[in-house]
Amino acid sequence: MNELNINNLKVIDKISDPYPIIIYSNLLDEPQIHELEKCLSTKETTFDKTVMGNRKTLLKGTDNFEQFINRNEIGQNINNFFENIEVFNFFYKNLQKLNLGNSERFDFKNKNFKFLKNYIKRNNSLSFRLKNKFTKTLISIKNCCRVYCDFDFSAAGTGYEREPHHDVEERIVNFLYYVNDFDGSNGGNFQIFKYKNEPVNYVRQPELNDVEILKNLKPQKGHLVTFLSTPSSLHGVDTIKSTMEKRYFFYGSYTSINKVDWKKII
């Protein structure tokens, strides 16, 4: 099976307002996409939990996730691709270039990035928690921004939805990959939201009356959606209506160990 390569990526679209979004194709070729959908839909695959109405998730770092990537070469290839500082730099620099073109934008100062390869945040062992606390202290002393990759494989069906929100403040770049086409008239679209008026506080889950939809991105097989995860990066998913079809995808982020100090620049 061919290894994944950032040089193969082709830009499909760029959106700068209300926050930087770049959509790529060619991460996986057709046989790889077919293989991934097959792996996610087989009864051999055990998901960790069901969230957000009806989204089955396979979380990086769990036993089920490890079994999945060890059993399926395509899963391992995807994990190896995103566990790479060069891939983070590629996505971040392209999004930041788009961000700098906005007269109003969010940004942060500490960009002395250091990549933590194969870091698993959801490890709850005592030794890990002590090591994590030590790492955070060391980071503050060295004034660097430690970044790691986290993601999950998902299968969404009838009832899956997400309210308008922005992700946790530690995230820097988010990515979403559609494994299969999905009829947007049945819901499941990636929705881009914007505040109607400048808020006093950029809360994670604003009231519906305070935001408006700017665009719906229909799930399209092979499309990789990347975006900066700023306080204004409001997004959601409209409710999947009654259907026998599943929306297969993986969603992840490049996340800082510590909270990112996002500031509004005007």
Side-chain angles (χ1 to χ4, degrees):
M1 184 174 290
N2 295 331
E3 290 190 3
L4 312 188
N5 192 321
I6 54 175
N7 295 320
N8 293 335
L9 294 177
K10 178 182 177 182
V11 174
I12 296 296
D13 196 9
K14 293 182 180 181
I15 301 169
S16 58
D17 181 51
Y19 52 91
I21 301 172
I22 301 179
I23 304 171
Y24 299 92
S25 64
N26 292 7
L27 174 66
L28 305 178
D29 59 29
E30 279 292 335
Q32 290 170 326
I33 294 173
H34 176 74
E35 181 64 20
L36 180 56
E37 182 176 0
K38 179 182 175 182
C39 293
L40 290 173
S41 60
T42 181
K43 292 181 179 180
E44 291 182 2
T45 297
T46 302
F47 290 90
D48 293 304
K49 58 183 179 179
T50 301
V51 297
M52 304 167 195
N54 190 6
R55 172 182 171 184
K56 295 180 180 179
T57 59
L58 191 55
L59 303 167
K60 184 175 173 65
T62 64
D63 290 341
N64 288 330
F65 184 96
E66 292 301 315
Q67 290 170 13
F68 179 82
I69 64 173
N70 289 333
R71 187 170 61 243
N72 302 298
E73 185 180 358
I74 184 60
Q76 187 68 259
N77 285 351
I78 291 169
N79 184 66
N80 292 342
F81 174 81
F82 285 98
E83 278 283 358
N84 190 325
I85 183 63
E86 293 181 3
V87 174
F88 163 70
N89 286 335
F90 176 84
F91 290 140
Y92 176 73
K93 288 178 180 178
N94 287 340
L95 288 166
Q96 181 64 356
K97 188 183 298 183
L98 200 59
N99 194 35
L100 292 174
N102 292 334
S103 57
E104 295 186 12
R105 64 183 183 274
F106 275 93
D107 209 342
F108 60 97
K109 291 184 177 179
N110 187 1
K111 298 177 182 178
N112 181 23
F113 298 123
K114 303 295 181 184
F115 194 71
L116 297 174
K117 194 173 180 65
N118 296 318
Y119 177 88
I120 305 298
K121 183 179 181 180
R122 58 183 57 86
N123 187 330
N124 291 318
S125 68
L126 177 61
S127 61
F128 177 84
R129 283 186 277 123
L130 290 173
K131 181 180 178 181
N132 191 23
K133 186 175 182 180
F134 173 76
T135 300
K136 288 186 175 182
T137 303
L138 190 62
I139 287 169
S140 62
I141 296 173
K142 290 189 174 183
N143 192 32
C144 61
C145 183
R146 293 274 181 174
V147 176
Y148 67 95
C149 176
D150 191 20
F151 75 96
D152 64 78
F153 293 104
S154 289
T158 302
Y160 167 57
E161 62 183 359
R162 283 243 54 185
E163 73 291 338
H165 69 285
H166 72 76
D167 288 356
V168 295
E169 287 81 357
E170 290 86 353
R171 291 187 174 180
I172 299 172
V173 171
N174 289 343
F175 54 86
L176 165 65
Y177 185 85
Y178 293 117
V179 179
N180 62 319
D181 287 320
F182 193 83
D183 185 358
S185 65
N186 279 330
N189 299 288
F190 181 87
Q191 298 182 304
I192 301 170
F193 291 89
K194 182 179 183 179
Y195 281 102
K196 294 177 180 178
N197 300 296
E198 184 73 16
V200 176
N201 296 306
Y202 287 81
V203 296
R204 280 205 62 204
Q205 295 182 7
E207 297 292 331
L208 286 176
N209 291 336
D210 294 334
V211 300
E212 58 185 343
I213 297 176
L214 288 189
K215 193 169 186 177
N216 284 326
L217 298 181
K218 176 184 175 182
Q220 291 186 261
K221 180 175 66 174
H223 280 197
L224 174 66
V225 181
T226 65
F227 60 99
L228 280 186
S229 189
T230 78
S232 65
S233 299
L234 296 177
H235 58 285
V237 180
D238 57 337
T239 307
I240 294 181
K241 303 171 187 176
S242 181
T243 176
M244 296 299 292
E245 301 298 320
K246 297 290 186 183
R247 198 192 89 170
Y248 296 105
F249 62 100
F250 58 80
Y251 183 79
S253 67
Y254 288 102
T255 301
S256 170
I257 289 290
N258 292 323
K259 188 174 292 186
V260 177
D261 188 22
W262 293 101
K263 298 292 186 183
K264 182 87 179 271
I265 298 175
I266 301 176

